[in-house]
């Protein structure tokens, strides 16, 4: 029972962490290697919210807004010039991540920061005592996924974004302002990453390098999902399960590299990953 | 550390019901915590890399509702403080904790407070020994009459210094016998000394040295 | 073509002093080695120590530059190979000892182990239809896996503490400095000669256009795998030197973060220039050692910000700045290299009466529910020029693709000269004697005209890894294409400066240079002027009529088709609806109906 809950909540957390990266990759065809830095930015928004004496949950909208605003700047000055050089964009965003990490270090110091608990305690579910917060995180993943899907399906911008995902040249030919679609998508992706950063604070230490550890996993999941939200959910569930099962029954060390290795092998067999299924 | 701990637990009639490792930079303790809960252990002893990994582990332990007696061999007072309420009740062992009730320590803490004010980082058993070591080196240089390495080395075991941890003398094979403290983190982040082990002998460290 | 004559005279000028220019790298390398040999006398201990490490890192930068700057493979994985080499050496020295015999064994192991891993990684990263991004993904995963293996190696690898205190080569600080310097100079010299050789062109060709490489009969994947393997071995050698010089190895040496640092150094120095990455690495690592103590966060911040700025504004790195400054001086007028052309003896014309050269039986292809080709049967004999006509969407280009790539997912049988193409990658079909010209001219944009032709001959004649061939022998038909289009006067010109028609002609010359038995041409005259069109028509007639080559031509222009074809096949809605002589087909009611919207319907 514990195992099932572990798998589901792990998948939920992975989904929350990866969805911002997926949005950016899907529309811009660019891998944002500063994604980890935006997770960190989000977590430090929680630190700031606590210092301002706000309700811990208020950190979520705060992080989304700050993350999206900074994302807008990054898109304008760093992503936009590199739009035709996707491999260079990986490097520039990695460099941006270094810069952000060092700015946070200069501003807040290298130490671990204290953040208030969003939700503590355990609940009795299906006969076991389980971390309430992990269930909240799973719920958050579902809410974010549903809202994101609804935005893609139901709004004008979502429609434009889907058009750009399918065929950017054609979309531009049809009069869609692809430049604006890219900007808004990057801002949304950055905002979601920052949001994920806040949601991670009860699970991990908050320090300037906290985001890097999550980057590779999110990156591999997005590669396998190839711009499809459903495929990302499936990938999180499958690889999250693999990580938990291998950690439980074989070795946590192998479990920690399970996502990266399995995703690489899946891509070798099927370059479009799970999105084709 | 863990090898010694396991041996000791066996010796006093306890039983190790599980032992788990995560990579140094690992941050997902989900599976390990679930195994811990399944094992119905009575107590938990951990030894992670210091700093951030401790915080991550403690957050996830507390989130999962683990409230066993918990001793952490690798946490320092400052890190414990950054965990807030999650750290309450954790046992730690160190040759220095701020709660040492001695005039030397109180003078030291007051002086640190005066110098660094609100920017003061919590002194711990990594920083205090360094602080004392500089004075010990000074004393050795003075005794040797210069900074020539061989002479300073010879003088080192013969001098002593009185620091926040009391009298420090490196006379056991160039190591110092230290008083070890068992502390427990309190609700306000301070560490209360719950046990004192006077002048623990460092044992055979450098048998060729006197 | 106003600048043709200038280039034609420039090319021989470059050949006037080949001996001098060939000796120059050796002289410079010799001088560098001597200067570095005496350098420790003038440097303090700290500088000697740090620079030893920097020079070892610079060796890695050379490998990253060859992979990324030249072959276009962005890799973070060189750190892993370095780490494996360093650990292999350290473990051998720890557990076997440092006797001369074991030292040699440690060296062998330090090169071999990463090379084997490199072979595996290369095989995983590069396969038919693999993407550049996938190779980068794998290069990220490898260091992560290697580091975890090191962590879980327990006492065997020293886990997180690494290995220390093993016996090393009996050298002083200065000795290690000189050893690292010699290794770096030797590696740089070898890399320099290699990238300037004919074989070096192949790296750039794979980066520019790996599909074209495959359709010239070269295996881009094999080139990439070989390069990955060899450079993994070189990284292992650097690891061996590092383990000896520092007598410490730690998991960080193999990690992904170190891999990204290497890429940063190469990018700042200037990818694709060899010297830029070397100087960049040494300068940055040395500066880091001096500054990171005093300004730990600020230094990282500056480095990160500079890196971002260079990637965006100056993709060629600092070397590009230097090159521009040099370009502004009067000494910079170095002429581009071009070989002299020569004619290959003609091959005897194949027997035109024998079995069909190309045989298609029941070929069908569909994308999901959409059927693109259905029930195609066709036989083509040597010497025939068969035009494939039909409106847009009839499946012409798809058919060409099925003929030239046996890994395409289609049903039915395609055989060339009796050999089935099922499952064969394009380069292996080229080896059966098939040449394919694409609809959109597919050449190597960063290479010269002569280099493109050189690569077209590579699958027959091979490429020298040491230097440049003085003459380039081409089949007479290819020479004719060159001469008729004036390309023979532009051998040193970069292809990106060619006009659209010139690129089409160059690609045709490249395909003809393969000496194929069967040539597939997808709209070779699209967008060409009337004069260019008749030139190409004449060439095709010669190829098929005199040399006995079979040709399949996709074409919209019925007048052109009528002039040159020996047979016409009409494709309509994925089916083969007519197959017959020129007059029979052109005069048919069916063709008139299909084409009723005009010849470009």
């Amino acid at each position: 029972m514990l195992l099932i809950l572990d798998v589901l909540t792990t998948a939920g957390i992975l989904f929350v962490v990866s969805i911002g990266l997926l949005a950016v990759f899907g529309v811009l065809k660019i891998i944002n290697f500063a994604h980890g830095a935006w997770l960190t930015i989000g977590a430090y928004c929680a630190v700031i919210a606590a210092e301002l004496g706000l309700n811990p949950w208020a950190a979520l909208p705060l992080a989304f807004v700050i993350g999206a605003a900074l994302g807008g700047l990054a898109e304008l000055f760093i992503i936009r010039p590199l739009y035709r050089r996707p491999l260079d964009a990986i490097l520039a965003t990695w460099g941006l991540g270094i810069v952000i990490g060092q700015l946070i270090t200069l501003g807040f110091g290298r130490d671990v920061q204290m953040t208030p608990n969003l939700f503590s305690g355990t609940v009795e579910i299906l006969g076991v005592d389980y971390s309430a917060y992990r269930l909240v995180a799973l719920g958050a993943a579902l809410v974010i996924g549903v809202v994101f899907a609804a935005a893609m399906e139901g709004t004008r911008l979502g429609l434009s974004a889907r058009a750009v995902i399918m065929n950017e040249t054609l979309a531009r030919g049809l009069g869609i302002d692809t430049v604006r679609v890219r900007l808004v998508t990057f801002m949304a992706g950055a905002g979601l990453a920052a949001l994920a950063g806040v949601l991670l604070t009860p699970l991990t230490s908050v320090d300037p390098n906290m985001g890097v550890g999550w980057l590779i996993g999110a990156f591999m999941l997005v590669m396998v999902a190839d711009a499809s939200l459903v495929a990302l959910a499936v990938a999180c569930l499958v690889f999250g399960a693999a990580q938990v099962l291998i950690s439980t029954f074989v070795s946590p060390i192998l479990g920690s590299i399970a996502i990266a290795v399995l995703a690489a092998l899946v891509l070798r067999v099927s370059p479009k990953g799970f999105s084709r299924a | 550390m863990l090898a010694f701990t396991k041996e000791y637990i066996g010796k006093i009639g306890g039983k190790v019901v599980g032992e788990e490792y995560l990579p140094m930079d690992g941050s997902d303790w989900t599976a390990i915590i679930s195994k811990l809960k399944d094992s119905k252990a009575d107590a938990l002893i951990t030894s992670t890399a210091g700093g951030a990994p401790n915080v991550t582990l403690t957050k996830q332990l507390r989130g999962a509702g683990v409230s066993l007696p918990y001793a952490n061999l690798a946490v320092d007072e400052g890190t414990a403080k950054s965990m807030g309420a999650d750290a309450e009740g954790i046992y730690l062992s160190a040759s220095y904790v701020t709660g040492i009730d001695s005039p030397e320590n109180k003078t030291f803490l007051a002086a640190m407070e005066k110098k660094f004010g609100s920017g003061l980082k919590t002194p711990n058993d990594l920083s205090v020994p360094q602080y004392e070591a500089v004075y010990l080196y000074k004393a050795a240089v003075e005794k040797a009459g210069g900074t020539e390495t061989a002479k300073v080395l010879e003088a080192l075991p013969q001098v002593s210094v009185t620091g926040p941890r009391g009298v420090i003398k490196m006379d056991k094979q160039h190591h110092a016998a230290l008083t070890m403290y068992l502390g427990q983190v309190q609700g306000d982040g301070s560490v209360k000394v719950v046990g004192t082990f006077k002048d623990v002998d460092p044992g055979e460290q450098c048998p060729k040295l006197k | 073509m106003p600048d043709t004559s200038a280039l034609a005279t420039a090319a021989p000028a470059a050949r006037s002093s080949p001996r001098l220019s060939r000796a120059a790298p050796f002289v410079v390398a010799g001088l560098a080695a001597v200067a570095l040999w005496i350098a420790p006398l003038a440097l303090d201990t700290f500088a000697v120590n740090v620079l030893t490490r920097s020079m070892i890192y610079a060796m890695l930068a050379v490998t990253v530059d060859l992979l990324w700057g030249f072959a276009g493979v962005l890799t973070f994985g060189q750190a892993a190979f370095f780490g494996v080499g360093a650990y292999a050496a350290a473990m051998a020295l720890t557990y076997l000892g440092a006797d001369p015999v074991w030292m040699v064994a440690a060296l062998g192991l330090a090169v071999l182990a990463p090379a084997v891993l490199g072979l595996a990684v290369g095989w995983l990263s590069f396969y038919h239809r693999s993407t550049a991004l996938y190779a980068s993904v794998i290069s990220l995963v490898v260091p992560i896996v290697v580091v975890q293996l090191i962590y879980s190696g327990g006492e065997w690898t020293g886990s997180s503490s690494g290995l220390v205190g093993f016996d090393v080569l009996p050298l002083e600080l200065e000795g290690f400095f000189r050893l690292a310097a010699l290794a770096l100079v030797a590696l740089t010299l070898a890399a320099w000669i290699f990238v300037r050789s004919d074989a070096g062109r192949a790296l750039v060709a794979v980066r520019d256009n790996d599909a074209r490489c495959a359709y010239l009969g070269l295996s881009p994947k094999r080139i990439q795998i070989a390069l990955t393997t060899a450079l993994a071995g070189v990284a292992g050698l650097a690891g061996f030197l590092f383990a000896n010089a520092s007598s410490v190895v730690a998991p960080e040496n193999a990690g992904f973060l170190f891999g990204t640092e290497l890429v940063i150094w190469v990018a700042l120095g200037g990818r694709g220039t060899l010297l830029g990455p070397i100087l960049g690495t040494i300068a940055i690592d040395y500066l880091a050692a001096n500054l990171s103590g005093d300004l730990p966060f600020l230094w990282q911040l500056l480095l990160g910000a500079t890196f971002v700025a260079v990637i965006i504004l100056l993709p060629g790195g600092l070397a590009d700045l230097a090159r521009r400054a040099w370009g502004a001086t009067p000494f910079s007028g170095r002429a581009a290299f071009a070989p002299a052309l020569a004619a290959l003896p003609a091959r005897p014309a194949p027997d035109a009466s024998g079995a069909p050269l190309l045989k298609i039986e029941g070929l069908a292809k569909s994308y999901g529910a959409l059927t693109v080709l259905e029930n195609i049967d066709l036989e083509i004999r040597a010497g025939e020029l068969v035009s494939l006509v039909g409106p847009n969407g009839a499946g012409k280009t798809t058919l060409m693709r099925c003929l030239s790539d046996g890994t395409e997912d289609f049903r039915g049988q395609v055989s060339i000269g009796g050999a089935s193409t099922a499952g064969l990658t394009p380069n292996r079909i080229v080896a059966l004697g098939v040449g394919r010209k694409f609809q959109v001219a597919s050449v190597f944009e960063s290479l010269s005209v002569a280099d493109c032709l050189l690569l077209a001959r590579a699958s027959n004649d091979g490429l020298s890894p040491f230097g440049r061939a003085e003459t380039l022998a081409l089949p007479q038909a290819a020479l004719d294409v060159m001469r008729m289009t004036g390309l023979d006067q532009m051998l040193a010109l970069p292809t990106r400066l060619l006009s659209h028609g010139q690129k089409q002609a160059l690609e045709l010359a490249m395909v003809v240079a393969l000496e194929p038995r069967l040539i597939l041409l997808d709209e070779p005259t699209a967008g060409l002027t009337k004069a260019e069109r008749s030139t190409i028509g004449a060439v095709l007639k010669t190829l098929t009529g005199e040399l006995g080559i079979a040709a399949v031509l996709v074409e919209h222009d019925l007048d052109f088709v009528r002039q040159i074809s020996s047979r016409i096949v009409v494709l309509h809605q994925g089916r083969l609806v007519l197959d017959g002589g020129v007059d029979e087909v052109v005069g048919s009611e069916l063709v008139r109906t299909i084409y009723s919207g005009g010849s470009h319907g």
Side-chain angles (χ1 to χ4, degrees):
Chain A
M1 202 59 250
L2 215 47
L3 208 55
I4 296 172
L5 288 171
D6 278 351
V7 167
L8 289 177
T9 52
T10 299
I13 294 161
L14 290 173
F15 184 81
V16 166
V17 169
S18 321
I19 189 168
L21 193 64
L22 179 91
V24 172
F25 179 66
V27 174
L28 285 81
K29 314 282 187 294
I30 271 175
I31 293 149
N32 176 19
F33 256 37
H35 186 71
W38 255 269
L39 294 173
T40 315
I41 289 174
Y44 274 81
C45 286
V47 175
I48 293 170
E51 274 173 14
L52 295 175
L54 301 174
N55 180 309
W57 290 95
L60 287 173
L62 180 73
F64 187 82
V65 170
I66 291 181
L70 293 174
L73 292 177
E75 204 279 339
L76 272 177
F77 294 107
I78 293 172
I79 307 295
R80 196 165 290 181
L82 295 176
Y83 152 46
R84 300 221 170 265
R85 292 191 268 145
L87 287 184
D88 278 7
I90 295 184
L91 297 179
T93 48
W94 175 255
L96 178 64
I98 295 176
V99 169
I100 291 172
Q102 298 309 322
L103 286 175
I104 289 175
T105 308
L106 285 173
F108 293 85
R110 221 162 27 149
D111 308 333
V112 174
Q113 297 289 323
M114 156 102 177
T115 49
N117 267 333
L118 287 170
F119 210 89
S120 55
T122 56
V123 288
E124 171 113 3
I125 174 169
L126 305 164
V128 288
D129 231 9
Y130 203 72
S131 160
Y133 184 73
R134 289 182 70 94
L135 296 171
V136 168
L138 176 59
L142 291 173
V143 170
I144 291 174
V146 167
V147 169
F148 188 86
M152 288 297 279
E153 295 294 326
T155 66
R156 213 179 153 69
L157 185 77
L159 182 71
S160 307
R162 276 187 296 147
V164 173
I165 290 172
M166 284 178 208
N167 187 336
E168 176 156 1
T169 319
L170 187 61
R172 196 164 39 234
L174 291 172
I176 292 174
D177 183 353
T178 54
V179 174
R180 193 170 139 265
V181 171
R182 297 168 147 271
L183 174 67
V184 176
T185 309
F186 195 88
M187 289 176 70
L192 284 172
L195 196 70
V198 177
L199 289 170
L200 282 179
T201 55
L203 296 168
T204 172
S205 72
V206 177
D207 59 79
N209 295 318
M210 62 173 281
V212 179
W214 294 90
L215 174 66
I216 301 297
F219 168 70
M220 297 306 284
L221 287 166
V222 169
M223 288 291 98
V224 169
D226 191 50
S228 153
L229 191 68
V230 178
L232 179 68
V234 173
C236 289
L237 212 52
V238 171
F239 293 128
Q243 180 177 319
V244 170
L245 294 176
I246 294 174
S247 297
T248 307
F249 296 111
V250 189
S251 135
I253 293 173
L254 289 179
S256 71
I257 53 174
I259 291 183
V261 173
L262 292 177
L265 294 176
V266 165
L267 286 171
R268 177 70 162 86
V269 176
S270 161
K272 288 259 164 199
F274 287 174
S275 66
R276 261 208 315 214
Chain B
M1 269 189 290
L2 288 176
F4 178 85
T5 309
K6 275 194 295 190
E7 195 188 320
Y8 183 76
I9 289 171
K11 217 182 280 174
I12 61 168
K15 187 174 161 229
V16 178
V17 293
E19 186 179 354
E20 294 292 339
Y21 293 88
L22 197 67
M24 291 283 288
D25 49 0
S27 58
D28 183 11
W29 296 88
T30 311
I32 292 179
I33 290 172
S34 291
K35 275 191 183 171
L36 167 70
K37 294 183 84 169
D38 265 350
S39 74
K40 310 274 182 244
D42 299 317
L44 169 67
I45 297 174
T46 67
S47 175
T48 58
N54 268 318
V55 181
T56 300
L57 171 59
T58 310
K59 278 185 176 178
Q60 293 185 17
L61 277 173
R62 296 310 189 213
V66 173
S67 53
L68 306 168
Y70 171 23
N72 188 325
L73 299 176
V75 74
D76 74 285
E77 209 174 323
T79 306
K81 207 170 263 175
S82 72
M83 296 190 240
D86 282 348
E88 189 175 350
I90 291 179
Y91 292 97
L92 55 87
S93 69
S95 68
Y96 177 82
V97 290
T98 51
I100 295 174
D101 190 13
S102 71
E104 291 88 356
N105 186 37
K106 290 202 167 117
T107 317
F108 169 73
L109 286 175
M112 291 287 278
E113 184 81 29
K114 194 173 158 208
K115 183 157 173 67
F116 296 105
S118 61
L120 176 64
K121 311 273 184 199
T122 312
N124 63 16
D125 85 338
L126 295 173
S127 62
V128 171
Q130 313 233 15
Y131 171 81
E132 289 163 346
V134 174
Y135 283 99
L136 201 60
Y137 178 71
K138 174 172 174 269
V141 169
E142 278 166 1
K143 184 165 176 69
T147 59
E148 200 186 315
T149 311
K151 284 188 182 161
V152 175
L153 270 180
E154 199 179 312
L156 206 49
Q158 299 165 23
V159 295
S160 73
V161 64
T162 305
R165 297 186 294 175
V167 179
I168 308 289
K169 192 167 191 203
M170 292 176 67
D171 55 355
K172 310 269 184 193
Q173 299 174 356
H174 283 213
H175 282 67
L178 297 173
T179 299
M180 296 300 292
Y181 300 91
L182 177 64
Q184 188 177 27
V185 183
Q186 305 297 299
D188 62 355
S190 67
V191 172
K192 183 177 147 199
V193 176
V194 294
T196 306
F197 306 86
K198 204 89 188 110
D199 292 340
V200 179
D201 192 294
E204 292 284 305
Q205 297 285 350
C206 307
K208 287 182 199 154
L209 294 170
K210 270 187 286 180
Chain C
M1 290 162 267
D3 48 5
T4 320
S5 57
L7 279 155
T9 49
R15 279 202 299 275
S16 62
S17 56
R19 224 168 265 175
L20 190 72
S21 67
R22 215 174 294 159
F26 290 93
V27 174
V28 173
L31 290 175
V34 171
L36 287 169
W37 191 269
I38 12 189
L41 303 177
L43 295 169
D44 59 35
T45 311
F46 176 78
V48 169
N49 209 355
V50 171
L51 285 172
T52 304
R53 182 185 73 180
S54 306
M55 287 190 294
I56 293 171
Y57 288 171
M59 292 175 71
L60 291 175
V62 170
T63 67
V64 171
D65 195 32
L66 286 171
L67 278 164
W68 180 38
F70 287 90
V73 181
L74 172 59
T75 177
F76 304 97
Q78 287 306 101
F81 301 129
F82 174 73
V84 170
Y87 266 89
M91 286 164 74
L93 295 174
T94 304
Y95 300 112
L96 302 174
D99 297 338
V101 178
W102 291 128
M103 184 56 80
V104 172
L107 173 61
L109 210 57
V111 175
L112 208 60
V116 170
L117 180 63
L119 184 65
V121 169
W123 173 81
L124 198 60
S125 307
F126 306 108
Y127 54 95
H128 184 50
R129 300 212 181 101
S130 67
T131 62
L133 184 59
Y134 182 68
S136 298
V137 170
I138 294 295
S139 82
L140 272 178
V141 174
V142 173
I144 292 172
V145 172
V146 168
V147 167
Q148 293 309 335
L149 288 177
I150 293 172
Y151 276 150
S152 42
E155 284 181 11
W156 190 235
T157 57
S159 194
S160 59
S161 323
L163 291 171
V164 285
F166 44 85
D167 290 331
V168 296
L169 287 168
L171 291 174
E172 293 295 310
L173 224 49
E174 290 76 18
F176 281 119
F177 180 94
R178 288 173 179 142
L179 184 62
L182 288 184
L184 176 63
V185 169
L187 175 66
T188 309
L189 181 64
W192 184 270
I193 289 170
F194 177 67
V195 299
R196 272 161 184 70
S197 73
D198 286 344
R201 308 287 95 186
L203 294 193
V204 180
V206 169
R207 179 189 70 195
D208 266 14
N209 190 342
D210 67 339
R212 192 13 108 199
C213 279
Y215 284 101
L216 290 179
L218 304 171
S219 169
K221 305 309 164 193
R222 203 172 294 165
I223 293 174
Q224 286 163 324
I225 293 172
L227 191 68
T228 305
T229 308
L231 293 178
V234 174
L237 173 68
F240 171 82
L241 292 176
F242 180 84
N244 274 285
S246 66
S247 66
V248 182
V249 293
E252 296 88 83
N253 299 135
F256 144 72
L257 285 178
F258 182 50
T260 61
E261 273 186 86
L262 288 171
V263 171
I264 292 177
W265 297 337
V266 171
L268 289 178
R271 64 184 104 155
T273 63
L274 283 183
L275 293 184
I278 291 170
L279 297 176
T281 300
I282 293 175
I284 296 167
D285 190 48
Y286 186 70
L287 267 179
N290 282 287
L291 293 182
S292 59
D294 300 333
L295 313 160
F297 310 129
L298 210 56
W299 160 248
Q300 284 286 325
L301 182 66
L302 282 176
L303 189 64
T306 315
F307 175 59
V308 174
V310 163
I311 289 283
I312 296 173
L313 303 173
L314 198 67
L318 298 176
D320 198 33
L321 273 189
R323 198 186 303 177
R324 281 187 214 172
W326 175 250
T329 64
F331 316 105
S332 64
R334 213 177 93 193
F337 171 85
L341 292 180
L344 278 173
R347 279 192 185 177
D351 182 14
S353 62
L357 190 55
L358 170 69
K359 190 169 180 186
I360 307 172
E361 288 169 290
L363 189 145
K365 172 153 181 87
S366 46
Y367 295 104
L370 179 72
T371 302
V372 187
L373 290 173
E374 224 180 325
N375 209 16
I376 308 277
D377 291 302
L378 191 63
E379 289 188 358
I380 292 175
R381 279 157 218 288
E384 281 195 290
L385 201 170
V386 178
S387 285
L388 202 56
V389 302
N392 280 337
K396 302 184 298 286
T397 298
T398 308
L399 178 58
M400 295 295 244
R401 202 159 58 230
C402 293
L403 297 185
S404 57
D405 185 349
T407 66
E408 280 284 332
D409 181 23
F410 60 81
R411 293 184 303 282
Q413 274 291 328
V414 175
S415 51
I416 312 254
S420 167
T421 66
L424 296 187
T425 51
N427 53 303
R428 297 180 62 190
I429 291 185
V430 172
L432 291 176
V434 177
R436 179 179 177 195
K437 199 206 147 308
F438 290 87
Q439 192 168 358
V440 178
S442 171
V443 294
F444 303 113
E445 298 279 328
S446 13
L447 295 181
S448 71
V449 170
D451 288 337
C452 287
L453 292 161
L454 177 84
L455 287 160
R457 290 299 304 167
S459 59
N460 282 299
D461 302 345
L463 293 169
S464 160
F466 304 114
R468 315 241 32 195
E470 296 286 324
T471 53
L472 174 61
L474 296 175
Q476 188 57 46
L479 289 175
D480 291 344
V481 179
M482 302 285 291
R483 186 175 38 76
M484 282 191 267
T485 51
L487 282 172
D488 58 341
Q489 299 302 309
M490 307 177 188
L491 290 174
L493 198 66
T495 44
R496 63 173 179 278
L497 303 180
L498 296 181
S499 74
H500 172 67
Q502 287 166 335
K503 279 187 196 172
Q504 294 279 27
L506 174 60
E507 195 193 6
L508 181 62
M510 288 160 72
V511 173
V512 172
L514 284 169
E515 297 184 281
R517 293 193 284 170
L518 170 68
I519 187 163
L520 305 174
L521 302 129
D522 202 345
E523 298 199 44
T525 65
L528 297 194
T529 64
K530 209 166 178 102
E532 289 167 331
R533 201 176 295 202
S534 55
T535 305
I536 288 193
V539 170
L540 293 180
K541 286 208 94 143
T542 318
L543 287 174
T544 50
E546 292 173 22
L547 300 177
I549 292 174
V552 180
L553 175 75
V554 167
E555 191 50 72
H556 273 301
D557 184 344
L558 281 183
D559 290 334
F560 184 65
V561 166
R562 198 195 331 237
Q563 282 162 26
I564 66 166
S565 311
S566 59
R567 209 173 116 201
I568 301 181
V569 170
V570 183
L571 215 56
H572 185 52
Q573 292 178 348
R575 286 207 186 82
L576 204 158
V577 291
L578 253 183
D579 179 356
V582 174
D583 297 330
E584 181 191 343
V585 172
V586 173
S588 78
E589 190 64 31
L590 185 64
V591 168
R592 238 173 284 152
T593 324
I594 292 172
Y595 274 88
S596 58
S599 68
H600 289 271

